[in-house]
């Protein structure tokens, strides 16, 4: 008995069709044009939308959206049957053209459209005509037939939504294929399961009343912590919620995309906008917590991360700061990983410290202005401490002798830092006083791959 295909209303699907015994069925441009014509003609009969496509010599990928399973299934059947008839007649052959059933994978539209689209379009020579929808999506001139395929059956509202999501597509295309693509898209596609964020996965599993997540096949990999397993993330979120809610923190819902349609690289702007919506009039103090999945571009590789954290806005208190760290420590201890976590702290002063330090740096780098690019000059004017991290190689020795912030810290800051350390000791939270910690995020200082939690005080 055949396994029933996974179809979730409201979600697009990635479709993979492969030729029988790797027959070359798309290596000639005339064959690809004919397949595109059939894709367009079949759209007339069924209420189906195509987001993008890609052809190799022996397989085809396309992203398809349909309101119901019947329409999408009949569309693919008609398309494959029609192309088989054309191909057999042209090359005077008989028999099947396709290798068994097609593969399909539903996925979350807002979170994964750009990633899935870039994956299928970068698998092949995307600049070659009638090879993929790449040229269309980067806004270059394209054949009317391709435009017809990709815009047919889009309502005005949905077409506008599609354009909104694709705003950041050129940046996503620049990202190299990473472990994310190899480990997720192909295995998920072959297993016919749902590719989505954990929150959306839980929602659809409850609706469908069955397990939709990917199940690894073969000998299981060794994991250092059980905490790292994907299925424990939802449990982690629930535990965080219990602890944060108990201490008066309100849940914040952050968006995967910002208002410009760009992938969220940092939750700060989302946090601020969410807090503004929740704060009553004339109030400026807020304690909130959040969890969300986001993508960061580390070393030109798109990496998926899961972040859970808290924010206290409108007040700068040592007690509040230590309270947050104590909460994190309690949660990590519950999951048995606190012994693997090392808390590094440093005193970066206050606003008065920073003002004096920046003035000192500007004066120090003034004789070397001619060696700085326009970008570096702008940095020198606004945030000169960044020059210690981003500077021309010729100034390496100069940077080594630059003033250090520790020489400008005020007595008030020293007092606050001493109190901060005494409170950490009171809560039995081990820490390391690390003078090498910098004020700014950078790949050598705070890297999402080895950072359990990062924390910036007021």
């Amino acid at each position: 008995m055949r396994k029933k295909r996974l179809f979730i209303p409201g979600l697009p699907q990635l479709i993979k069709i492969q030729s029988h015994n790797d027959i070359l069925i798309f290596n000639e441009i005339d064959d690809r044009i004919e397949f595109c014509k059939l894709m367009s003609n079949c759209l007339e009969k069924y209420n189906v939308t195509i987001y993008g496509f890609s052809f190799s010599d022996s397989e085809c990928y396309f992203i398809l959206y349909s309101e119901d399973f019947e329409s999408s299934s009949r569309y693919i059947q008609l398309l494959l049957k029609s192309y088989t008839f054309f191909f057999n007649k042209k090359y005077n052959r008989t028999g099947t053209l396709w290798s068994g059933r097609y593969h399909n994978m539903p996925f979350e539209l807002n979170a994964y459209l750009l990633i899935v689209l870039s994956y299928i379009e970068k698998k092949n020579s995307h600049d070659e005509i009638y090879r993929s929808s790449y040229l269309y999506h980067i806004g270059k001139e394209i054949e009317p037939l391709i435009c017809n395929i990709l815009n047919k059956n889009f309502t005005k509202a949905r077409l506008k939504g599609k354009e909104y999501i694709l705003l950041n597509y050129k940046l996503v295309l620049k990202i190299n294929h990473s472990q994310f693509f190899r480990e997720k898209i192909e295995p998920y596609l072959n297993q016919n399961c749902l590719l989505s964020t954990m929150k959306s996965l839980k929602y659809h599993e409850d609706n469908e009343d069955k397990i939709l997540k990917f199940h690894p096949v073969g000998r299981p990999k060794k994991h250092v912590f059980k905490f790292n397993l994907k299925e424990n993330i939802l449990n982690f979120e629930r535990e965080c919620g219990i602890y944060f809610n108990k201490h008066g923190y309100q849940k914040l819902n952050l968006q995967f995309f910002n208002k410009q349609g760009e992938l969220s690289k940092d939750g700060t702007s989302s946090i601020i906008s969410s807090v503004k919506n929740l704060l009553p009039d004339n109030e400026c103090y807020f304690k909130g917590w959040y969890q969300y999945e986001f993508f960061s571009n580390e070393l030109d590789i798109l990496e998926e991360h899961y972040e859970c954290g808290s924010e206290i806005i409108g007040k700068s208190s040592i007690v509040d700061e230590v309270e947050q760290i104590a909460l994190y420590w309690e949660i990590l201890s519950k999951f048995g990983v606190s012994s693997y976590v090392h808390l590094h702290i440093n005193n970066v002063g206050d606003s008065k410290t920073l003002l004096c330090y920046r003035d000192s740096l500007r004066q120090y780098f003034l004789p070397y202005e001619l060696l700085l690019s326009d970008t570096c000059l702008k940095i020198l004017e606004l945030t000169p401490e960044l020059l210690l991290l981003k500077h021309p190689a010729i100034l390496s020795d100069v940077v080594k002798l630059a003033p250090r912030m520790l020489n400008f810290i005020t007595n008030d800051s020293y007092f606050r830092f001493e109190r901060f350390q005494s409170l950490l000791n009171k809560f039995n939270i081990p820490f390391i006083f690390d003078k090498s910690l910098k004020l700014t995020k950078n790949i050598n200082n705070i890297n999402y791959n080895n950072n359990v939690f990062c924390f910036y005080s007021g």
Side-chain angles (χ1 to χ4, degrees):
M1 185 177 176
R2 281 186 172 184
K3 182 182 175 182
K4 189 177 179 182
R5 288 193 182 281
L6 178 60
F7 178 84
I8 300 176
L11 295 185
Q13 304 176 70
L14 174 60
I15 307 293
K16 177 185 177 182
I17 307 165
Q18 197 163 3
S19 69
H20 181 60
N21 290 334
D22 290 329
I23 299 169
L24 303 181
I25 56 175
F26 295 121
N27 61 321
E28 293 187 13
I29 187 170
D30 291 342
D31 296 336
R32 298 195 296 272
I33 291 173
E34 182 62 28
F35 195 83
C36 287
K37 285 179 181 177
L38 292 171
M39 285 176 72
S40 179
N41 294 339
C42 293
L43 287 172
E44 302 284 356
K45 298 189 177 183
Y46 302 103
N47 186 24
V48 170
T49 301
I50 303 293
Y51 281 91
F53 64 88
S54 172
F55 304 130
S56 70
D57 288 343
S58 60
E59 61 186 13
C60 165
Y61 289 83
F62 56 89
I63 298 171
L64 177 147
Y65 176 84
S66 174
E67 296 290 343
D68 61 276
F69 174 71
E70 194 72 17
S71 295
S72 63
S73 182
R74 288 187 178 277
Y75 171 81
I76 296 169
Q77 287 174 12
L78 180 60
L79 176 62
L80 300 189
K81 186 178 178 180
S82 302
Y83 188 71
T84 301
F85 179 79
F86 157 79
F87 193 86
N88 283 350
K89 185 178 179 181
K90 178 180 176 181
Y91 294 99
N92 193 25
R93 67 180 298 277
T94 58
T96 184
L97 195 60
W98 310 105
S99 177
R101 303 174 79 198
Y102 66 87
H103 296 277
N104 75 305
M105 177 194 73
F107 62 89
E108 190 179 343
L109 179 67
N110 284 353
Y112 288 100
L113 175 61
L114 295 176
I115 294 161
V116 174
L117 198 55
S118 67
Y119 173 71
I120 66 172
E121 290 188 349
K122 288 174 73 174
K123 279 181 74 70
N124 305 305
S125 178
H126 42 248
D127 287 324
E128 191 177 343
I129 193 167
Y130 286 104
R131 184 63 83 175
S132 74
S133 50
Y134 167 78
L135 294 173
Y136 170 87
H137 286 133
I138 63 170
K140 289 191 176 180
E141 206 171 311
I142 196 64
E143 299 294 325
L145 176 58
I146 306 261
C147 297
N148 192 38
I149 292 170
L150 298 175
N151 288 334
K152 194 171 285 186
N153 294 345
F154 268 107
T155 62
K156 284 187 178 179
R158 282 179 56 221
L159 189 59
K160 188 176 180 182
K162 176 192 172 190
E163 291 169 353
Y164 175 80
I165 293 172
L166 291 174
L167 276 173
N168 205 37
Y169 188 52
K170 290 182 184 179
L171 293 177
V172 175
L173 275 170
K174 293 178 183 177
I175 297 166
N176 295 327
H177 284 176
S178 68
Q179 199 69 14
F180 172 85
F181 296 109
R182 292 191 295 274
E183 290 185 353
K184 278 203 168 180
I185 294 182
E186 285 294 343
Y188 277 54
L189 182 59
N190 293 331
Q191 205 176 98
N192 186 218
C193 53
L194 174 64
L195 177 64
S196 73
T197 57
M198 291 300 296
K199 187 175 182 180
S200 179
L201 177 65
K202 181 69 168 61
Y203 169 79
H204 289 297
E205 285 187 333
D206 290 343
N207 278 358
E208 300 287 325
D209 194 25
K210 61 181 178 181
I211 296 172
L212 305 177
K213 63 186 177 183
F214 176 74
H215 298 279
V217 181
R219 185 177 294 177
K221 294 179 181 178
K222 291 183 179 180
H223 291 273
V224 180
F225 310 127
K226 231 179 175 181
F227 168 77
N228 285 332
L229 294 174
K230 196 78 171 176
E231 54 262 31
N232 282 321
I233 289 180
L234 286 171
N235 185 37
F236 179 68
E237 179 191 341
R238 282 192 292 269
E239 292 294 334
C240 287
I242 291 169
Y243 283 105
F244 284 121
N245 291 334
K246 187 170 70 175
H247 288 82
Y249 289 77
Q250 193 170 342
K251 176 77 181 286
L252 294 169
N253 294 313
L254 308 185
Q255 299 301 312
F256 190 84
F257 285 87
N258 60 26
K259 290 182 179 179
Q260 288 73 42
E262 297 171 339
L263 285 165
S264 293
K265 307 251 185 346
D266 187 354
T268 306
S269 56
S270 292
I271 290 166
I272 292 169
S273 59
S274 298
V275 169
K276 283 181 180 177
N277 294 332
L278 292 172
L279 268 178
D281 294 337
N282 302 321
E283 284 196 27
C284 59
Y285 180 66
F286 185 87
K287 292 168 72 173
W289 75 281
Y290 58 87
Q291 66 78 29
Y292 79 126
E293 285 177 287
F294 69 102
F295 289 87
S296 71
N297 189 358
E298 300 279 358
L299 296 175
D300 202 30
I301 295 177
L302 192 69
E303 294 184 341
E304 183 184 28
H305 301 279
Y306 184 89
E307 185 171 296
C308 185
S310 63
E311 296 282 344
I312 296 180
I313 295 173
K315 180 180 167 187
S316 178
S317 162
I318 289 290
V319 175
D320 282 339
E321 292 167 357
V322 175
E323 176 191 281
Q324 289 183 83
I325 293 176
L327 279 169
Y328 299 154
W329 203 258
E330 193 173 349
I331 292 165
L332 294 169
S333 298
K334 182 177 176 64
F335 278 85
V337 296
S338 59
S339 59
Y340 298 93
V341 177
H342 306 284
L343 174 62
H344 291 244
I345 64 172
N346 191 11
N347 189 357
V348 294
D350 51 16
S351 55
K352 187 177 179 181
T353 299
L354 188 58
L355 191 65
C356 295
Y357 181 52
R358 283 177 170 172
D359 284 342
S360 176
L361 284 176
R362 289 188 191 102
Q363 292 300 318
Y364 179 77
F365 282 111
L366 199 60
Y368 308 100
E369 278 189 328
L370 291 176
L371 301 175
L372 298 176
S373 65
D374 290 342
T375 304
C376 287
L377 286 172
K378 191 172 182 180
I379 290 174
L380 179 62
E381 182 185 350
L382 300 174
T383 51
E385 67 275 12
L386 283 179
L387 277 183
L388 303 178
L389 306 171
K390 301 176 182 179
H391 55 266
I394 197 172
L395 291 181
S396 296
D397 291 335
V398 173
V399 166
K400 288 177 184 177
L401 299 174
R404 293 290 181 246
M405 183 175 280
L406 285 173
N407 299 328
F408 296 86
I409 292 175
T410 63
N411 290 331
D412 286 343
S413 283
Y414 274 119
F415 174 75
R416 281 171 57 88
F417 191 57
E418 289 296 326
R419 188 170 175 231
F420 177 62
Q421 293 177 80
S422 67
L423 284 172
L424 288 176
N425 286 323
K426 190 175 181 181
F427 279 95
N428 295 317
I429 299 172
F431 62 87
I432 299 166
F433 179 24
D434 185 354
K435 292 183 179 181
S436 65
L437 278 182
K438 305 293 193 306
L439 178 64
T440 54
K441 287 186 182 181
N442 69 90
I443 198 155
N444 296 318
N445 185 32
I446 293 180
N447 185 332
Y448 284 117
N449 288 326
N450 55 34
N451 185 50
V452 179
F453 67 84
C454 56
F455 160 82
Y456 294 87
S457 88

